[in-house]
Structures are given as C-alpha cells and as structure tokens.
Amino acid sequence: MAGNKVVAYVDGSYSDAARKYAFGCVFILEDNRIFTAFGNGDNPESLKQRNVTGEMLGAMYAVQCARASGFSAIDIYYDYSGIEMWVTGGWKAKNDLTQKYSQAMRSWGSTIDIRFHKVEGHTGVKYNELADKMAKRGIEEGAGVPAFGNIELLEQYFE
C-alpha cells in the first residue's frame, strides 16, 4: 500500500425498531482517494450500549483495516469522546464492552500509531457527516461486520 498514514472518520448509529447498532467509516488515503465501509450487529449485551457500540466498532474496524493495509499510522476523527477517552485512560472503562474496546485498541496501538481527533457531531464536518450516513446505511443494509481487509478493496466514494 502506498503511503504511511490513513485518515478515518468513524461514527455509530442505533435503531430501536431494527434492534441493531451500526458503524460507518470513511477512509481518506494520502492520494485523496476515499473509501467507505459500514456494518452492524445485534448482540443482546452490546445492544445495551446502543450507538456507543457502533462508535467503538467503527474505530476498531478502521484500525484493523489500516493494519491489514500496511499503514503505520491512522488518524481517527470521531464525535463521541469515549472513542479516545477509554483508550487513553481519560475515562475509566467500567463495563465489559468498553474494557474490551480499550484493551484491543491499546494492544493494536503497539503495531500502528493511533491518533485521535475530536470533531463536533452534526455540525457540517464533511467526512464526519459522511461517516454518519454510512452508519445509518449500516442499520438499513448491513449484514454484520465485514471482514477486515485492504482499504482499497472497500467501496470507493466519489465526490
């Protein structure tokens, strides 16, 4: 894979009616190509965390795809503070789900430089809005969590 770093915008969603949580990811490569991904789940324990589960899944999916694609660094843009705070220790991971999230992200951080960037949700931040749309698409069209793989094999987004 060309390049050393990838940018990822991640977001989560939840639907009471569908009884699903979902995530959306937008990957921006150094050559400005954009790829998107989404997925969902319905694990009963994970449903209790509603959209937070999707937020965490999105960040985890982004890191795993970046690792599988050979990147040495990923900049994750998020609008839910827990994405960073549970990993950096700013918040205590108090339940099984957040503990597993923080442990996985910390472990993966030994093989890829993970940098976090907070953006305000629903304020017109272009790629954050696209990640939100992907998460909503995950509720409607998702079929579980897609396999982690090369980012360049995901759906390419054209502006």
Side-chain angles (χ1 to χ4, degrees), residues 11-15 18 20-25 37-41 130-146:
D11 207 355
S13 189
Y14 174 79
S15 169
K20 291 182 182 178
Y21 47 84
F23 71 88
C25 294
F38 58 83
N40 68 21
L130 181 57
D132 181 66
K133 286 179 185 167
M134 292 286 95
K136 286 178 177 35
R137 191 171 163 196
I139 293 288
E140 298 166 10
E141 299 176 37
V145 178

Side-chain angles (χ1 to χ4, degrees), residues 13 34 38 84-85 92 101 123 128 138 148 155 159:
S13 189
I34 301 167
F38 58 83
E84 178 177 3
M85 294 299 167
K92 181 174 172 49
Y101 167 75
T123 58
N128 191 59
F148 305 118
E155 183 176 307
E159 299 185 78

Side-chain angles (χ1 to χ4, degrees), residues 63-64 67 71-73 106-113:
V63 169
Q64 287 291 71
R67 292 175 69 216
F71 288 103
S72 62
R106 288 176 184 164
S107 173
W108 299 334
S110 67
T111 61
I112 186 170
D113 181 21

